[in-house]
Amino acid sequence: MKRAAVLAVMLVACDTARAPQDEIAEHDAARLTWGYNQANDTLVAHVDSVNAFSLMPPNDGNQRAILSRRYLPKVGGDLVVRIRRGRFDCPIAGCTVGVRFDDGAEITWAAERSGPESHTEIFLAQDETFVARMRAATVARVRVELEKDGAREFEFRVAGYDDSRMRP
């Protein structure tokens, strides 16, 4: 439950200054690089996926996935992949996703939903390991299963992530 409350703060921080869901501008490169926000004591870094995608109705319309890292002084860091519409096919007990850094081999990565009613975001396990690999990479690709829409791969430009901005 604590994760869900803190996630709500993170989602508000990530959604500020974003275009409406169906009006994703292909030339808007600013969202394809890391953005940093702070809400109370929660620090959030976020980057949109390079690839826009659309799902089957009623979740159709262009959207991008968002990769977010958040840091709370009392709890530590979390890593979240989020979509605006649709549902991750990830039971509350957890699931696995495929992760590739640059042109490396796909790694099976543990993930979990943040709560029973949360279907649009998943937490990636071992966030420190992911961040360490991400720092050495230019691109991270995350392959997920979506209910009714099958497998999707989201590509994130992770170069330029500044971990020093994630500490108070």
Side-chain angles (χ1 to χ4, degrees), residues 96 120 154:
T96 59
T120 59
F154 306 131

Side-chain angles (χ1 to χ4, degrees), residues 148-163:
K148 300 180 185 173
D149 290 285
R152 297 294 172 116
E153 184 174 86
F154 306 131
E155 180 176 323
F156 301 97
R157 292 182 187 155
V158 294
Y161 172 75
D162 185 359
D163 203 38

Side-chain angles (χ1 to χ4, degrees), residues 10 34 43-46 67-71 76-80 127-128 131 134-135 161 163 166-167:
M10 183 185 81
W34 287 101
L43 301 169
V44 180
H46 52 88
L67 176 64
S68 300
R69 173 116 197 271
R70 70 175 181 180
Y71 178 79
D78 281 326
L79 203 59
V80 180
D127 74 298
E128 292 297 331
V131 170
M134 183 177 76
R135 278 191 212 111
Y161 172 75
D163 203 38
M166 297 301 293
R167 303 284 185 239

Side-chain angles (χ1 to χ4, degrees), residues 138-155:
T138 303
V139 173
R141 294 173 185 86
V142 180
R143 185 183 48 77
V144 301
E145 291 289 328
L146 300 174
E147 287 183 11
K148 300 180 185 173
D149 290 285
R152 297 294 172 116
E153 184 174 86
F154 306 131
E155 180 176 323

Side-chain angles (χ1 to χ4, degrees), residues 24-36:
I24 296 175
E26 292 298 320
H27 66 278
D28 190 3
R31 284 186 242 154
L32 302 180
T33 59
W34 287 101
Y36 299 87

